[in-house]
Amino acid sequence: MMIVSFLIIAWILSWFKFNQLFVQAFKELFNKEITIASYYFMFFGIGAIGDLILFINGSYNVLLK
């Protein structure tokens, strides 16, 4: 569920042009060109890591019925 939450956050931040800020900052810091897909993939990765941590800690409620 955190993956979806973080993707929604990325989408909302893109309304305020945060995605362009992120792409430009990444280019200036690391001298690498990235795309908007990388921006969304970063939020996807953070959400996936969060889901894994919740799953490992046992606080992730999965209905397997």
Side-chain angles (χ1 to χ4, degrees):
M1 190 65 189
M2 285 186 78
I3 295 172
V4 175
S5 300
F6 272 88
L7 287 175
I8 290 172
I9 290 169
W11 179 57
I12 291 171
L13 286 174
S14 71
W15 294 348
F16 303 104
K17 308 291 186 213
F18 182 78
N19 54 351
Q20 294 173 358
L21 176 73
F22 176 79
V23 169
Q24 183 65 30
F26 197 89
K27 179 181 177 185
E28 290 179 9
L29 289 172
F30 303 110
N31 201 22
K32 297 283 184 184
E33 290 284 334
I34 63 169
T35 63
I36 300 299
S38 302
Y39 166 77
Y40 284 106
F41 185 74
M42 180 197 67
F43 279 90
F44 172 83
I46 293 169
I49 290 169
D51 272 342
L52 284 172
I53 290 171
L54 288 177
F55 183 73
I56 290 170
N57 286 339
S59 59
Y60 194 79
N61 297 324
V62 179
L63 299 175
L64 300 175
K65 295 178 182 180

